[in-house]
Amino acid sequence: MGLVQWATSPFGDDVPIHVAFYLIWVSAIAGLAFLIGHAIWVRYFAKGEAFAGVTAPSVAARIPERVPRHSLAARLFHWVMAASMLALLITAFLPKVGVEFAWVTYHWIAGIVLTASILFHIVHATFFMDFWSIWPDKADREDAMRRWKRALGQDTPPPRRFAKYPLENKMYHGAIVLAGLSVMLTGVFMMFRVRTGILPRNPYLFGDMTWGMMYVLHGLAGVGLIALIMVHVYFAIRPEKLVITKSMIVGTLDRQHYLEHHDPERWVVANGSSAETRRSMSA
Ligand code: HEM
């Protein structure tokens, strides 16, 4: 039982053709196991949150009642991407688990929407948002070590409050970037294999081995996205995270949540609006 399905090419070579589709279940069960494990950990074992230091009252006084977190453009990107991802997962995997329908056309159309939204996001994040806010930094690594030691009951100072994004969010974003770019880049080439009316059909663009690897990478990243998206939705609906999820709808966080969890020096909110959000809102 391998990870890949093989076939024999017209030249007699063994070539990969698809990922093995039992991996759909492996990914779904892994996602489910993670969220059950996490829920048990939080309910019965996790210690309460504790952060180092207190925010000076003079700094706290400058924080507005509603702290801008996501500009309208960023929120629209998120929801367009989410809708297209769900459409891609449904059209790709329902036929594989026995729900037959003509999925390919719906699939590549959703793929174009996802591709356009990702390209928009890359430009937006690079030129109009604080690009580095989503990548782990030295403070994240140090604080992760402190949290890990505290979870093991070792004596260590508490971690600092977060910058705009906690390390977990940054790591999740990294995983989504890898899987998303993989499905996007392979998917665009795979459109040459089907009749789209947009790109000229050309199944001879690559050799059998290259096509096979491309389908396998597309399938592996796609299967990985099942678990990744399950985990994302789980965190979005956890009671203590609803305030974050709400900010992806309304764009702002309440002041109290900001002061409890975020460090005003690491996520600067100035003159009633965060520097980052101001830049992106002027986009
Ligand atoms: C959440 C993201 C995605 C998932 C889960 C996903 C999943 C899949 C799967 C499982 C297949 C079947 C592969 C095989 O038979 O080996 C497939 C095929 C395909 N996908 Fe995706 N995909 C995603 C994104 C995209 C994107 C972004 C595009 C286009 C830009 C795209 C275009 C295609 C095309 C053209 C095919 C080939 C259909 C065929 O040859 O019959 N996909 N996808």
Side-chain angles (χ1 to χ4, degrees), residues 18 85 88-89 92-93 107 111 115 187 190-191 194 215 218 222 225:
H18 303 289
M85 276 271 183
L88 284 157
L89 287 171
F93 295 127
H107 187 78
T115 304
M190 285 157 71
M191 285 180 61
V194 293
Y215 273 71
H218 193 82
L225 280 163

Side-chain angles (χ1 to χ4, degrees), residues 3-7 15-21 96 212 215-217 219:
L3 298 178
V4 172
Q5 284 178 25
W6 297 82
V15 285
I17 48 168
H18 303 289
V19 70
F21 285 114
K96 307 282 183 290
Y215 273 71
V216 168
L217 178 56

Side-chain angles (χ1 to χ4, degrees), residues 62-262:
R62 290 204 301 269
I63 306 301
E65 268 319 302
R66 305 291 312 171
V67 178
R69 188 165 193 266
H70 300 296
S71 67
L72 180 62
R75 280 175 279 151
L76 284 176
F77 157 73
H78 177 269
W79 293 114
V80 169
M81 187 200 58
S84 60
M85 276 271 183
L86 283 182
L88 284 157
L89 287 171
I90 289 169
T91 52
F93 295 127
L94 280 190
K96 307 282 183 290
V97 296
V99 184
E100 300 291 339
F101 64 103
W103 62 278
V104 177
T105 306
Y106 303 114
H107 187 78
W108 66 253
I109 292 173
I112 289 178
V113 177
L114 178 71
T115 304
S117 71
I118 292 177
L119 294 179
F120 165 80
H121 179 64
I122 292 172
V123 173
H124 189 220
T126 307
F127 298 108
F128 301 102
M129 295 162 88
D130 178 1
F131 181 83
W132 295 110
S133 68
I134 197 65
W135 303 103
D137 58 18
K138 190 161 165 266
D140 290 323
R141 288 192 293 276
E142 284 169 4
D143 286 339
M145 192 50 76
R146 289 181 185 180
R147 284 197 276 157
W148 176 245
K149 285 186 176 164
R150 285 171 69 81
L152 296 179
Q154 295 177 15
D155 191 25
T156 183
R160 283 152 284 198
R161 286 180 175 73
F162 301 118
K164 185 173 182 186
Y165 299 109
L167 179 64
E168 296 77 19
N169 298 44
K170 294 179 179 186
M171 292 195 311
Y172 182 85
H173 177 263
I176 280 284
V177 166
L178 280 181
L181 288 182
S182 302
V183 284
M184 180 186 112
L185 294 172
T186 52
V188 167
F189 283 117
M190 285 157 71
M191 285 180 61
F192 286 98
R193 292 278 294 236
V194 293
R195 252 175 253 286
T196 57
I198 298 176
L199 295 171
R201 184 165 182 271
N202 183 5
Y204 306 107
L205 190 61
F206 300 111
D208 290 333
M209 182 55 100
T210 309
W211 276 126
M213 303 288 274
M214 208 170 274
Y215 273 71
V216 168
L217 178 56
H218 193 82
L220 279 179
V223 160
L225 280 163
I226 297 176
L228 282 174
I229 287 170
M230 285 172 72
V231 168
H232 185 71
V233 173
Y234 161 76
F235 279 115
I237 60 177
R238 278 199 61 88
E240 75 278 10
K241 305 282 184 209
L242 283 178
V243 58
I244 308 280
T245 309
K246 196 172 148 212
S247 79
M248 191 46 93
I249 299 169
V250 300
T252 55
L253 270 182
D254 67 75
R255 180 173 182 275
Q256 192 190 342
H257 181 94
Y258 172 89
L259 289 172
E260 279 169 10
H261 296 88
H262 297 278

